[in-house]
Amino acid sequence: MCCLCSCSLSIVLITLLVVFLQPREPEWQVNKLIVPPATLQSCIQAITAPDSKIATIGLDALVDFNNPNYIGAEAGEGLFAVTWKGHELASVTTDRKWAPARNRSLITAHSTSV
């Protein structure tokens, strides 16, 4: 009887661990783009006066990161490339950040056009 009870308890415990610790896909959404006035002016000049020099544009984005997992994690610095139709438009670096379990956090991403 004791062996049956112990076996049943083990099966229930393993099932609960599998259900609760199964990795869930994190979600993120851009909350805010931060464009300094000088950068915006440089972008406008590059579009309206295409004969002028090449403009390098830098901007930041605040990203709302949602971690639905039951375990928190630290996200290291991220490196991304922004592309459009196979052409790289910008390189992006995200800051290191702690993602608490079943919670949200704001991450800053820094972008520079290439």
Side-chain angles (χ1 to χ4, degrees):
M1 182 68 173
C2 182
C3 183
L4 179 63
C5 184
S6 155
C7 187
S8 297
L9 183 62
S10 295
I11 290 173
V12 168
L13 182 61
I14 290 171
T15 303
L16 287 174
L17 286 175
V18 167
V19 168
F20 285 114
L21 296 181
Q22 179 180 359
R24 292 165 179 81
E25 194 69 31
E27 298 173 357
W28 60 274
Q29 178 178 343
V30 175
N31 271 5
K32 183 178 187 179
L33 289 177
I34 303 167
V35 183
T39 300
L40 185 58
Q41 183 63 31
S42 175
C43 182
I44 291 171
Q45 285 178 347
I47 293 171
T48 58
D51 296 336
S52 65
K53 63 180 177 143
I54 296 174
T56 300
I57 300 168
L59 57 96
D60 293 339
L62 287 178
V63 179
D64 181 22
F65 181 78
N66 179 27
N67 179 15
N69 294 295
Y70 286 93
I71 297 175
E74 182 175 352
E77 181 179 81
L79 301 173
F80 304 94
V82 177
T83 60
W84 184 71
K85 291 189 177 181
H87 300 285
E88 186 174 348
L89 302 177
S91 61
V92 180
T93 305
T94 58
D95 295 339
R96 296 175 65 95
K97 189 71 175 189
W98 173 253
R102 302 192 52 81
N103 210 335
R104 301 175 112 64
S105 60
L106 279 177
I107 298 174
T108 304
H110 310 283
S111 170
T112 304
S113 65
V114 290

